[in-house]
Short mmCIF file of all heavy atoms in Angstrom, two decimals:
data_model
loop_
_atom_site.label_atom_id
_atom_site.label_comp_id
_atom_site.label_asym_id
_atom_site.label_seq_id
_atom_site.Cartn_x
_atom_site.Cartn_y
_atom_site.Cartn_z
N GLY A 21 7.75 1.83 9.27
CA GLY A 21 8.20 0.46 9.39
C GLY A 21 9.29 0.11 8.39
O GLY A 21 10.19 0.91 8.13
N GLU A 22 9.19 -1.08 7.82
CA GLU A 22 10.19 -1.59 6.89
C GLU A 22 10.49 -0.57 5.77
O GLU A 22 9.58 -0.03 5.17
CB GLU A 22 9.67 -2.89 6.26
CG GLU A 22 10.61 -3.49 5.25
CD GLU A 22 10.03 -4.75 4.58
OE1 GLU A 22 8.91 -5.16 4.92
OE2 GLU A 22 10.75 -5.31 3.73
N GLY A 23 11.78 -0.35 5.54
CA GLY A 23 12.19 0.56 4.48
C GLY A 23 12.25 -0.12 3.12
O GLY A 23 12.58 -1.29 3.02
N PHE A 24 11.89 0.62 2.09
CA PHE A 24 11.94 0.12 0.71
C PHE A 24 12.76 1.07 -0.14
O PHE A 24 12.86 2.26 0.17
CB PHE A 24 10.52 0.02 0.13
CG PHE A 24 9.61 -0.86 0.92
CD1 PHE A 24 8.58 -0.32 1.68
CD2 PHE A 24 9.78 -2.24 0.94
CE1 PHE A 24 7.74 -1.12 2.43
CE2 PHE A 24 8.93 -3.05 1.68
CZ PHE A 24 7.91 -2.49 2.42
N ASP A 25 13.32 0.58 -1.20
CA ASP A 25 14.04 1.42 -2.14
C ASP A 25 13.09 2.39 -2.84
O ASP A 25 13.41 3.56 -3.03
CB ASP A 25 14.75 0.60 -3.21
CG ASP A 25 16.00 -0.12 -2.68
OD1 ASP A 25 16.44 0.17 -1.54
OD2 ASP A 25 16.52 -0.98 -3.42
N LEU A 26 11.92 1.91 -3.20
CA LEU A 26 10.98 2.70 -4.02
C LEU A 26 9.71 3.05 -3.26
O LEU A 26 9.15 2.20 -2.55
CB LEU A 26 10.60 1.91 -5.27
CG LEU A 26 11.73 1.44 -6.16
CD1 LEU A 26 11.17 0.61 -7.31
CD2 LEU A 26 12.52 2.62 -6.69
N ILE A 27 9.22 4.27 -3.47
CA ILE A 27 7.93 4.62 -2.86
C ILE A 27 6.81 3.89 -3.59
O ILE A 27 5.73 3.71 -3.03
CB ILE A 27 7.68 6.15 -2.79
CG1 ILE A 27 7.67 6.80 -4.18
CG2 ILE A 27 8.69 6.80 -1.88
CD1 ILE A 27 7.22 8.27 -4.15
N GLU A 28 7.06 3.39 -4.79
CA GLU A 28 6.07 2.57 -5.47
C GLU A 28 5.80 1.28 -4.70
O GLU A 28 4.68 0.78 -4.66
CB GLU A 28 6.53 2.25 -6.90
CG GLU A 28 6.50 3.44 -7.85
CD GLU A 28 7.73 4.35 -7.73
OE1 GLU A 28 8.63 4.10 -6.89
OE2 GLU A 28 7.80 5.34 -8.49
N THR A 29 6.84 0.74 -4.07
CA THR A 29 6.65 -0.45 -3.24
C THR A 29 5.85 -0.09 -1.99
O THR A 29 4.92 -0.79 -1.60
CB THR A 29 8.02 -1.05 -2.84
OG1 THR A 29 8.77 -1.31 -4.01
CG2 THR A 29 7.86 -2.32 -2.02
N LEU A 30 6.20 1.03 -1.38
CA LEU A 30 5.48 1.48 -0.17
C LEU A 30 4.00 1.72 -0.47
O LEU A 30 3.12 1.28 0.28
CB LEU A 30 6.13 2.75 0.38
CG LEU A 30 5.48 3.36 1.61
CD1 LEU A 30 5.46 2.41 2.78
CD2 LEU A 30 6.18 4.68 1.97
N VAL A 31 3.70 2.40 -1.56
CA VAL A 31 2.32 2.72 -1.88
C VAL A 31 1.51 1.44 -2.16
O VAL A 31 0.35 1.31 -1.74
CB VAL A 31 2.22 3.76 -3.03
CG1 VAL A 31 2.52 3.14 -4.39
CG2 VAL A 31 0.86 4.42 -3.06
N GLU A 32 2.13 0.47 -2.81
CA GLU A 32 1.48 -0.81 -3.09
C GLU A 32 1.19 -1.57 -1.79
O GLU A 32 0.11 -2.12 -1.60
CB GLU A 32 2.32 -1.65 -4.01
CG GLU A 32 1.71 -2.99 -4.38
CD GLU A 32 0.53 -2.88 -5.33
OE1 GLU A 32 0.56 -2.04 -6.25
OE2 GLU A 32 -0.43 -3.63 -5.13
N ARG A 33 2.16 -1.60 -0.87
CA ARG A 33 1.98 -2.31 0.40
C ARG A 33 0.89 -1.65 1.26
O ARG A 33 0.10 -2.34 1.90
CB ARG A 33 3.30 -2.34 1.18
CG ARG A 33 4.43 -3.04 0.49
CD ARG A 33 4.30 -4.57 0.50
NE ARG A 33 5.33 -5.21 -0.27
CZ ARG A 33 6.47 -5.68 0.21
NH1 ARG A 33 6.74 -5.58 1.49
NH2 ARG A 33 7.34 -6.24 -0.59
N ILE A 34 0.85 -0.32 1.24
CA ILE A 34 -0.17 0.38 2.00
C ILE A 34 -1.56 0.05 1.45
O ILE A 34 -2.48 -0.27 2.19
CB ILE A 34 0.08 1.89 2.03
CG1 ILE A 34 1.32 2.22 2.87
CG2 ILE A 34 -1.15 2.63 2.56
CD1 ILE A 34 1.78 3.66 2.77
N ALA A 35 -1.71 0.12 0.14
CA ALA A 35 -3.01 -0.16 -0.49
C ALA A 35 -3.48 -1.58 -0.15
O ALA A 35 -4.65 -1.78 0.20
CB ALA A 35 -2.94 0.04 -1.99
N ALA A 36 -2.60 -2.54 -0.24
CA ALA A 36 -2.95 -3.93 0.06
C ALA A 36 -3.36 -4.09 1.52
O ALA A 36 -4.34 -4.77 1.84
CB ALA A 36 -1.80 -4.86 -0.29
N ALA A 37 -2.63 -3.46 2.41
CA ALA A 37 -2.93 -3.55 3.84
C ALA A 37 -4.27 -2.92 4.19
O ALA A 37 -5.05 -3.44 4.98
CB ALA A 37 -1.82 -2.93 4.66
N VAL A 38 -4.54 -1.77 3.57
CA VAL A 38 -5.80 -1.07 3.83
C VAL A 38 -6.98 -1.92 3.35
O VAL A 38 -7.97 -2.10 4.05
CB VAL A 38 -5.80 0.33 3.19
CG1 VAL A 38 -7.20 0.94 3.20
CG2 VAL A 38 -4.82 1.23 3.92
N LEU A 39 -6.88 -2.47 2.15
CA LEU A 39 -7.96 -3.31 1.63
C LEU A 39 -8.18 -4.56 2.48
O LEU A 39 -9.30 -5.02 2.66
CB LEU A 39 -7.71 -3.70 0.17
CG LEU A 39 -8.04 -2.63 -0.86
CD1 LEU A 39 -7.68 -3.13 -2.25
CD2 LEU A 39 -9.50 -2.21 -0.80
N ALA A 40 -7.09 -5.09 3.04
CA ALA A 40 -7.21 -6.27 3.90
C ALA A 40 -7.84 -5.94 5.25
O ALA A 40 -8.45 -6.79 5.88
CB ALA A 40 -5.83 -6.89 4.10
N ALA A 41 -7.70 -4.68 5.68
CA ALA A 41 -8.13 -4.30 7.04
C ALA A 41 -9.55 -3.72 7.11
O ALA A 41 -10.08 -3.58 8.19
CB ALA A 41 -7.15 -3.27 7.61
N CYS A 42 -10.12 -3.37 5.96
CA CYS A 42 -11.43 -2.72 6.03
C CYS A 42 -12.31 -3.14 4.86
O CYS A 42 -11.81 -3.68 3.87
CB CYS A 42 -11.28 -1.19 6.09
SG CYS A 42 -10.79 -0.45 4.53
N PRO A 43 -13.60 -2.87 4.94
CA PRO A 43 -14.53 -3.31 3.89
C PRO A 43 -14.65 -2.35 2.70
O PRO A 43 -15.64 -2.39 1.99
CB PRO A 43 -15.86 -3.41 4.66
CG PRO A 43 -15.76 -2.35 5.69
CD PRO A 43 -14.30 -2.35 6.12
N ALA A 44 -13.68 -1.53 2.45
CA ALA A 44 -13.73 -0.63 1.29
C ALA A 44 -13.75 -1.45 0.01
O ALA A 44 -13.16 -2.51 -0.08
CB ALA A 44 -12.52 0.30 1.28
N THR A 45 -14.46 -0.94 -0.98
CA THR A 45 -14.51 -1.62 -2.29
C THR A 45 -13.30 -1.24 -3.13
O THR A 45 -12.92 -1.98 -4.04
CB THR A 45 -15.80 -1.28 -3.06
OG1 THR A 45 -15.88 0.15 -3.19
CG2 THR A 45 -17.01 -1.81 -2.31
N ALA A 46 -12.70 -0.10 -2.83
CA ALA A 46 -11.50 0.34 -3.55
C ALA A 46 -10.76 1.34 -2.65
O ALA A 46 -11.33 1.93 -1.74
CB ALA A 46 -11.85 1.00 -4.88
N VAL A 47 -9.47 1.50 -2.96
CA VAL A 47 -8.65 2.45 -2.22
C VAL A 47 -7.70 3.15 -3.20
O VAL A 47 -7.23 2.54 -4.15
CB VAL A 47 -7.84 1.75 -1.08
CG1 VAL A 47 -6.85 0.75 -1.64
CG2 VAL A 47 -7.13 2.77 -0.21
N GLU A 48 -7.53 4.41 -2.98
CA GLU A 48 -6.52 5.16 -3.71
C GLU A 48 -5.53 5.68 -2.67
O GLU A 48 -5.93 6.25 -1.65
CB GLU A 48 -7.13 6.35 -4.47
CG GLU A 48 -6.10 7.13 -5.27
CD GLU A 48 -6.70 8.21 -6.13
OE1 GLU A 48 -7.83 8.01 -6.63
OE2 GLU A 48 -6.05 9.24 -6.28
N VAL A 49 -4.25 5.45 -2.92
CA VAL A 49 -3.20 5.85 -1.99
C VAL A 49 -2.18 6.68 -2.74
O VAL A 49 -1.76 6.32 -3.83
CB VAL A 49 -2.52 4.61 -1.36
CG1 VAL A 49 -1.39 5.03 -0.42
CG2 VAL A 49 -3.52 3.74 -0.63
#
């Protein structure tokens, strides 16, 4: 999807989306 300059931004967005979508207590990406 949306492109970012930094993979740090991508990894943060993925972690937030995963936590919002499922009942995990924590996520490592």
